[in-house]
Amino acid sequence: MSELILETRGLSKDFKGFTAVDGVDLRVQRGAIHALIGPNGAGKTTCFNLLTKFLEPTRGSIHFNGVDITGEKPAEIARRGVIRSFQISAVFPHLTVLENVRIGLQRFTGTSFHFWKGLTGLKQLDARVLALLELVDLRDMAALKAGDLPYGRKRALEIATTMAMEPTLMLLDEPTQGMGHEDVDRVTALIKRVAEGRTVLMVEHNMKVVSKIADRITVLARGAVLAEGDYAEVSKHPAVLEAYMGSEAAELQGAH
Amino acid sequence: MTDLFGIPISALLGQLLLGLVNGSFYAMLSLGLAVIFGMLNIINFAHGALYMMGAFLAWMGLEYLGLNYWMMLLLAPLVVGVLGILIERLMLQWLYKLDHIYGLLLTFGITLVMEGVFRSFYGVSGQQYQVPEALQGATNLGFMVLPNYRAWVVVASITVCLGVWALIEKTTLGATLRAGTENPKLVQAFGINVPRMITLTYAGGVALAAFAGVLAAPILQVSALMGSNLIIVVFAVVVIGGMGSILGSILTGLGLGIIEGLTKVFYPEASSTVVFVVMAIVLLVRPAGLFGKEK
Amino acid sequence: MTALASSSKTPLNPVYGYALLFGAIALLPALGVYPIFVMKVLCFALFACAFNLLVGFTGLLSFGHAAFLGTAAYGAGHALKVWGFSAPLGLVFGALAAGVVGLGIGLLAIKRTGIYFSMITLALSQMLYFFFLQASFTGGEDGLQSVPRGSFFGLDLGNDLTLFYVVLAIFIGAFWLIYRTVHSPFGQVLTSIRENEPRAISLGYDVDRFKLLAFVLSATLAGLAGATKTLVLGFATLTDAVWTTSGLVILMTLVGGMGTLVGPMVGALIIISLENKIGDLGKVLADLTGINWFNGLGESVSLVTGLIFIVCVLAFRRGVVGEAIALWDKARAKA
Amino acid sequence: QISGDTVKIGFITDMSSVYADIDGAGGVEAIKMAIADMKGMAGGKKIELIFADHQNKADVAASKAREWIDTQGVDMLIGGTNSGANLAMAKIAAEKKRPFMVIGAGSARLTNEDCTPYTIHYAYDTVALANGTGSAVTKGGGKSWFFLTADYAFGASLQSDTATVVGKTGGQVLGSVKHPLNANDFSSFLLQAQGSKAQVLGLANAGGDTINAIKAANEFGITKTMKLAGLLMFINDIHSLGLKTTEGMYLTDSWYWNQSPEAREWSRRFFEKMKRMPSSLQAADYSAAMHYLKAVDAIKTDDADKVIGKMKDTPINDFYVKGSIRKEDGRGIHDMFLLQVKSPKESTEPWDYFKVVTRIPGDDAFTKLADSKCPLVKK
Amino acid sequence: MTAALEISNLHAWYGESHILHGINLSVQKGQVLTLLGRNGAGRTTTLRAIMGLTGARKGSIKVHGVETIAMATHRIAHLGLGYCPEERGIFASLTTEENLHLPPRLSGGRATPMSDEQIYQMFPNLAERRHSPGTRLSGGEQQMLAVARILRTGADILLLDEISEGLAPVIVQTLARMITALKAQGFTIVMVEQNFRFAAPLADHFIVVEHGEVVESFSAAELPAKQAKLDELLSV
Ligand SMILES: Nc1ncnc2c1ncn2[C@@H]1O[C@H](COP(=O)(O)OP(=O)(O)OP(=O)(O)O)[C@@H](O)[C@H]1O
Ligand SMILES: Nc1ncnc2c1ncn2[C@@H]1O[C@H](COP(=O)(O)OP(=O)(O)OP(=O)(O)O)[C@@H](O)[C@H]1O
Ligand SMILES: [Mg+2]
Ligand SMILES: [Mg+2]
């Protein structure tokens, strides 16, 4: 298999004459943690929505593992192993933590349309669910309603559910947004841990997180790729400093 | 004389004109629904009942107060508008944060209550309302004799529809309304009392329904149930038009009136279903409706 | 869902609770309760439970469920009366007919959500209503009359009591199926779709197909209710198919508690009793208050129904059973 | 031996919907008048009346009837308006063996295909209306007809019954157009009717549809070129439309309050209570209740079969009609009247609406026994 | 003298995320305050909280001495606030001129409202495009429109969120001149800026926000002394 797990060519999205994503060529290496950064409204979330086909691209194509998936439906793409999380927390609030993760695993049993069956068949999945919860330190909370979890824990649960899908490519939209310091550190470590053996593409504003774990960074601005490289390269890139990190920061840096 | 599928062209013209009369009602009612939906995100099920109330007010005005048609054409929408304010302030405003479904259910409940009240006071066989003096008689158009009142209905409702359209598309007030549907929070941050604007929009929307009701009073029997069959057809009109544009709801309303009129000639049995058939077809081809925007 | 979730934590298995409930219902005729009334309530309870499967567990508010009740009522009636089907076959035929209609309407409506979905189901069911009004086999305004009861696997259904137990058995069977569906792998996916549809999609579920299956299931069960009603009352009329009946079933579910398993049953009981007894209630009120207007209350069912709707939407959204569960949860949280 | 020591009459009709004015509360009052005229007693026992609104729903009517018989000990049922509801009630009454007197429903099926030994169709039926209006109008010179027909079973049977009569009496049907039930607008259909150049427009519909059709016919000036004939209309419809709109229309009814001194006398009493003149149905409610109570009083039992026998044996002779109930199928046989609506000038007092054009003898008006489709009739 | 704007211990939430954790600041009449901080630090949220546009709010916000924490958004605005949002908030269904005329005159505004002529003089681009739909304007023009729109209302406290973002240097210079002019006219201004070079010469006072808290607060005079600290706080 090729080195590239995901590649987009000229990916664009217009909203009523306004181009939110403008000819983006994104190349994600297999096994990398790839960060997508950029100012607010740069088109990052829109990019995610295009990659998972929650939005229909206006132009351009998407290739996953060398296959053109531009024409596929969201659920099909998910079944290929491209699983996303959402910018705004996305758990199933009235299901328990355990059930939340089990929904993810359940799809592989092929019984999802079986309305006449009891839940006993699903119980056999519980061991795996608990193992996943262990991974995100949620095992103790397995019986709680997901809606009752503190915010940071919900994000962790979301990651566990995403993990249950055995994703080859995880798309995380601002996984640390709205979290306190300790939660941020925890989730950062968690992402690092779960990224082993798979590929992660994440949107993140917190540069601490990005600098710590991202292998590669793409900077978007006004819908187009502004720069690409590792953290050291990107953080020195003048255009990036200008558009995202602030040119004065550089000036200040230069000043001392 | 030339024929089309065995029907003389002149007769067909007459039927088209009559379809336009019915279409005027659809247009006015779906316009009100569209305005309300645009601002409040509520499907106003009570629209039919308020239309009925408009017709009743016309009748009551004449019966009890001796107020003539023209007075009531002004007063009935005002009274219903005030009722709309009460409905919005006392009930609807608590529902905006909830699923839109609750607005639909609440206004459905209001419909039942209003129909029940009018029914318990006036029965159902209906009241008689005369065509106003000035509009009695008919005009011979050559291909048909058109009662003057029906001509007035078309003129009045198209004028009102275009007026509302112009108000919304061309004035500051309309600009505020449009902005309010786009981004209510920001508009409020500019110091505009958006909740009050919403209340007044609702009042305006239902006043349109009442206006249609007064227009309908001399043509139809004024009865408690006159709105309840109409409203579902108007819903279908709204689905076909797509809730997006004001102009869309007007055009769809008029267009469907005409399609219905033609059906009455060629296949009268289907005249009550044709709207729904059109709806099914439109949904298959364009799920968002003719003028609607996706999502 | 909440009903089960909370009771599953208690040591008492909910199955015992249901057994107790149905046992009590089975005894009602012996206690002198009019069996036909109970059967009617059971039919509507089934109708409401089927409806609730869609709105309460899938989050889709259909405003056209009368279409399924009506289709099955006419279908079963025609099969029993004209084609001479046996009672069980007639019921199955009616339910399946409703299921097929459900598939058709579902395919058109499922693409949209929220109020659009409601309006489309409403309009399509109204179209079906006009069809029933005009089709010759329905008897138009007069309805399809004198449908024979026949026998059910050798049991003579002419006897009200026999019929009662058969209807109860059908109800229990259907309720079991609903219970099963809610607590099945399929039900889990439905719940997840209702709670967060985009998330469910991102987990690889083709939500439209799940919704469609839920819609067809709900239609079929609503059909079973309609077919059973025809069998009990001996006729099928336009009332079964008219849009106000769709409104009624929403009210039942709302009053009882959307998304609870027993709620719709309670709602059906309350609303049907109200329809039957409101005249008496009016007389009592008139005597108590001396206001003569109350005497006419019996003629104002729709007014009272409307008021209940308003009160429920504004102040009582969880319904009787929903509120009870909430109280219970609160009390236990304190303990 | 009177069951439950009371003679209990159950009256189920439309009290809140389209037909509420024609029968409804006024019907209840009429029956109460009958009970009062019996001094509240029949066969030495108290008479009781219970009534209910069926909201024009057959299922409500049937469930009520069944429940009353099963749990309230109702001895006799009077059925108000709505054929569907009455057909359903007839089934229950027959099953439970209770006399069932149909007043407000018009469907001739009640004594034809769906007849039972317990059904008495007392006041009128669509066949009688068709015979009355169809033959009288045709004979009176309205030779060519066009029908405006409500598109459901009842409308179709009204049309076909009338068309048959028109044909028999030498008239001709030029065409018809079906309109949906509860149509909101009739102008288009009327234009088609006008295009037919027929002399008579037969309105084979009921209630609100008839009313709206007549209004539109006036508006489009169709009343100037065509005669309107309402195939199922009552005085209350004329009342709500007004004479100006309905002037000159024909309709058939079993009774008119101003037709005789005794009728006037009873109607004044009714007017005292209801502030409106009675419809033929309300008069028939009184008459039917009275006929039943007198039978019970005479034979001192409320046993269904015996009372029915007695009622069929006794001629009816009151302010409502002079006639009888046919033994074989329970059809009430009496004269019918072809009425024409007066012009506003001709009307001298409130509710003075009709001229009696012809009296149609009962034997001509109703289905002949030979033509009956009732399985009970032995041929 | 009461401050034009005084905030103490302000907390704010978006749904369940707790964004502001006790912000304290105050601005005197006629002063320019600049909020600095990294992406996502909570500066925009501070402005939105002042207008009552976040979810729940707690603490105290006084505008000209009037407590507004429990007020409806439109009432807050009428105390004399003009808000220019980060996303600009140009209405797509309105023309440029309609956008400009949308905000009404504020009853409590103390500044002299600018006339259309004055505004068009300041932003000639807008005059040219007054009849085209709002979102057809270029990003820079949209930014001008968003600022211009609140100058007509008579608001004397302006909340400006990243107005220099995405604009060509010339326009940024125009804006800088405009702010200087406004300041001279007595306007009170609270700015959120990423562009330090733009903000530095304009502001009387600086505040650095980090994770929803004020971590530094100093006046323009202290700027050179704080440079190193700032550098650390804002560095990426
Ligand atoms: N459905 C839509 N219709 C119209 N415009 C949209 C739509 N969705 C997004 N946009 C616009 O597209 C642009 C990019 O939005 P997007 O959500 O992708 O930004 P982002 O990079 O994720 O920003 P943030 O960091 O604030 O989340 C924004 O200007 C936004 O307003
Ligand atoms: N509507 C919202 N819902 C949930 N979280 C939000 C919302 N808007 C902003 N946030 C989060 O609140 C935090 C503070 O955001 P804010 O917009 O105030 O940052 P900022 O300092 O203005 O940065 P910048 O504008 O440069 O991104 C961020 O983590 C952001 O993701
Ligand atoms: Mg985003
Ligand atoms: Mg910001």
Side-chain angles (χ1 to χ4, degrees), chain A residues 143-166:
Chain A
L144 291 186
K145 288 254 180 71
D148 298 339
L149 291 184
Y151 187 76
R153 306 279 68 205
K154 276 186 195 156
R155 304 298 308 218
L157 172 58
E158 227 179 301
I159 291 173
T161 310
T162 308
M163 295 287 303
M165 308 297 302
E166 296 286 345

Side-chain angles (χ1 to χ4, degrees), chain A residues 15-16 18-21 38-47 49 55 87 173-174 177 203 205 220, chain E residues 87:
Chain A
F15 293 111
K16 283 189 280 176
F18 159 75
T19 308
V21 173
N40 290 105
K44 304 179 294 291
T45 304
T46 308
C47 250
N49 283 335
L55 287 172
Q87 183 163 4
D173 198 351
E174 299 204 32
Q177 177 201 310
V203 170
H205 274 312
L220 282 186
Chain E
E87 70 282 0

Side-chain angles (χ1 to χ4, degrees), chain B residues 15 18 22 119 124-126 128-129 144-145 147 150 217-221 229-230 264-265 268-269 271-272, chain D residues 16-18 20-21 151 177-178 180 182 184-185 187-189 191-192 211-212 215-216 219-220 240-241 244-245:
Chain B
Q15 298 290 358
L18 290 176
N22 287 328
R119 175 193 275 196
V124 259
S125 43
Q128 181 70 12
Y129 191 81
M144 76 173 297
V145 176
R150 303 238 171 189
I219 303 187
L220 303 176
Q221 197 74 350
N229 291 313
L230 194 58
K264 282 176 180 164
V265 182
E269 285 88 338
S271 61
S272 54
Chain D
S16 59
S17 183
V18 272
D21 294 344
D151 190 17
V177 59
K178 287 183 176 169
N182 295 326
N184 54 16
D185 176 57
S187 50
S188 160
F189 304 117
L191 227 56
Q192 295 177 50
I211 290 181
N212 280 331
K215 275 191 86 165
E219 202 191 341
F220 282 82
S240 66
L241 276 163
K244 208 171 150 221
T245 319

